Amino acid sequence: MTDRVESLPALEPIEQQGRLSGVKLSGEWNLRNLCDAPGLRRQLRNYARNRALHWDLEAIEVLDNAAALLLWEAWGQTLPAGLVLRPEHQRMLERWQEQEIPDTAPPRRHIGVILLFLYHTFVDFCRQTADLITLLGQLLLDVGYLLRHPGSVPWSEISITIYESGVRALGITALVGFLIGIVLSYLSALQLKLFGAEIYIIDILGLSVIRELGPLLAAILVAGRSGSAMTAQIGIMRVTEELDALSAMGISHSLRLVLPKVAALAIVMPLIGVWTSSAALLGGMFSAQNTLDISYMQFFLKLPDTVPLLNVFIGLLKSAVFGFLIALVACHFGFRIKPNTESLGNETTNSVVASITIVIMVDAVFAILFMGVGMPI
């Protein structure tokens, strides 16, 4: 048994008395063959511009819907006057004749697309801001309710969140803080050696780590680690319809999901900030000992004199605010997740990006507000 040899589509002009009078089509006109022959489609459109041509389609062996639509559109959605074809092919063309093909919308201009994108971005930003303010207002109402009903405080949820977001984050925060302390101390030592001011490495490390880098590093790590986990947890509850089950049982989402996370991070973030700052100072001391020959005892004795105690409280305040905002943003994006996996991944990514951005913005605000506070005299 031999396989049938496929006949390629062909288009031949018919001339009479040296003048083009018609076009003859032959072969197998189907979607696959037409995709392999873009030049053939261009010839078809060129010939179709001449409305006086005679079209002979009797030699066509195979004609599918795609090829029939191509011919129909090339002829201007009307059958030519001099058309010869097989009855089965005529029924296929008449089927397209009975249907109305919608016109393709012209492409939009680039400036319009940009303006539309900016408009949708602005509207989405306003909508998300309103949702975040609504969530914050509901959180304040829950706090007022718990002050009147202390027995309803979700201690178990707060406790497990402190463990998951605080205790289990000690390892990564200590490692990153220690390495950042080494890098900061090493780079500062290279410059201080040039001026013979090696002892000022303690001032640089103390102020920068305790006041800025410690709380900021801890917040960024917690936003990437715990904030994303909170968003994904609420998103999974949306996908598995657990949120709908809580609503059906009359359990408040904000009281059982948002409040424990916000309270836990506001409590645990100052502790993680102190832990990260301590690890960074240890890394800085280790590097200063090896590069500048400053002993650990000298570092410990001079550090309280160079860094006023008020900087510690500023760092604790910043860490508490960072933890509050990270949990609030994580819960906000968690409730925005739709019951599909694509939305889960997108909103989790948006949660991490938004949390880190807000942390850096708030840190800049703190730096401006407390610019002259806690500085050594």
Side-chain angles (χ1 to χ4, degrees):
M1 182 176 180
T2 59
D3 295 335
R4 185 178 65 86
V5 179
E6 186 176 8
S7 178
L8 297 178
L11 189 150
E12 301 176 3
I14 302 174
E15 295 184 358
Q16 291 182 356
Q17 300 178 356
R19 186 176 60 87
L20 180 65
S21 62
V23 181
K24 180 180 180 181
L25 278 60
S26 61
E28 297 185 3
W29 286 69
N30 51 36
L31 180 61
R32 185 178 65 177
N33 290 337
L34 291 176
C35 291
D36 295 338
L40 190 65
R41 288 178 288 170
R42 286 194 297 269
Q43 293 180 13
L44 180 64
R45 288 192 295 268
N46 292 333
Y47 286 125
R49 293 192 182 98
N50 189 350
R51 300 294 182 179
L53 292 182
H54 169 77
W55 291 82
D56 185 1
L57 277 61
E58 284 188 329
I60 292 181
E61 301 173 8
V62 175
L63 181 69
D64 63 0
N65 282 322
L69 177 61
L70 182 65
L71 291 171
W72 177 252
E73 291 183 338
W75 291 334
Q77 299 185 8
T78 181
L79 296 178
L83 177 62
V84 179
L85 72 166
R86 298 180 181 181
E88 61 270 19
H89 296 165
Q90 183 175 1
R91 288 193 296 268
M92 191 173 297
L93 290 173
E94 289 175 351
R95 187 181 303 119
W96 284 113
Q97 190 176 11
E98 296 171 358
Q99 298 180 5
E100 182 178 355
I101 303 175
D103 296 333
T104 305
R108 298 177 179 176
R109 297 184 180 272
H110 295 291
I111 186 64
V113 173
I114 295 175
L115 293 177
L116 186 62
F117 171 77
L118 293 177
Y119 170 76
H120 286 304
T121 302
F122 177 74
V123 171
D124 184 65
F125 173 78
C126 294
R127 186 182 297 112
Q128 291 199 43
T129 303
D131 293 341
L132 195 60
I133 294 174
T134 303
L135 185 62
L136 180 60
Q138 183 61 48
L139 192 63
L140 295 177
L141 293 177
D142 292 337
V143 172
Y145 171 80
L146 293 178
L147 290 177
R148 298 191 305 270
H149 305 84
S152 301
V153 177
W155 295 113
S156 58
E157 288 88 347
I158 295 175
S159 176
I160 190 62
T161 306
I162 289 176
Y163 173 76
E164 291 291 339
S165 303
V167 177
R168 298 189 64 178
L170 293 179
I172 185 64
T173 53
L175 176 62
V176 173
F178 184 80
L179 295 177
I180 290 296
I182 292 177
V183 172
L184 183 62
S185 177
Y186 178 75
L187 294 178
S188 301
L190 295 178
Q191 299 299 318
L192 293 175
K193 280 183 178 181
L194 299 176
F195 303 98
E198 291 88 347
I199 194 63
Y200 288 103
I201 187 69
I202 303 175
D203 301 67
I204 295 175
L205 284 176
L207 280 176
S208 61
V209 169
I210 294 176
R211 188 183 178 104
E212 291 293 335
L213 283 181
L216 188 62
L217 278 176
I220 292 175
L221 291 173
V222 169
R225 181 189 177 278
S226 303
S228 61
M230 292 177 182
T231 304
Q233 179 187 14
I234 297 177
I236 291 297
M237 295 179 70
R238 173 77 68 188
V239 173
T240 57
E241 299 182 354
E242 293 181 47
L243 294 179
D244 297 334
L246 291 177
S247 300
M249 291 186 291
I251 300 176
S252 172
H253 294 170
S254 60
L255 187 61
R256 288 296 173 179
L257 297 177
V258 181
L259 181 64
K261 293 177 173 56
V262 172
L265 273 192
I267 294 171
V268 79
M269 271 301 299
L271 304 178
I272 298 178
V274 172
W275 172 261
T276 307
S277 300
S278 303
L281 290 176
L282 286 176
M285 285 190 289
F286 175 79
S287 178
Q289 167 72 21
N290 290 277
T291 57
L292 300 176
D293 198 22
I294 298 177
S295 64
Y296 297 124
M297 185 58 65
Q298 186 179 6
F299 204 103
F300 277 117
L301 292 176
K302 188 172 174 54
L303 185 61
D305 298 331
T306 58
V307 182
L309 185 61
L310 191 57
N311 291 280
V312 178
F313 295 111
I314 292 176
L316 293 176
L317 175 62
K318 291 168 62 174
S319 296
V321 174
F322 291 162
F324 176 85
L325 292 175
I326 290 170
L328 191 66
V329 171
C331 293
H332 163 69
F333 281 97
F335 286 114
R336 281 175 52 87
I337 293 177
K338 298 178 178 59
N340 58 75
T341 54
E342 182 181 1
S343 177
L344 177 64
N346 292 336
E347 297 301 338
T348 303
T349 303
N350 294 336
S351 171
V352 175
V353 174
S355 298
I356 295 176
T357 304
I358 291 177
V359 164
I360 295 175
M361 292 173 59
V362 173
D363 184 68
V365 173
F366 270 103
I368 296 173
L369 294 178
F370 297 96
M371 182 169 51
V373 180
M375 291 298 170
I377 300 175

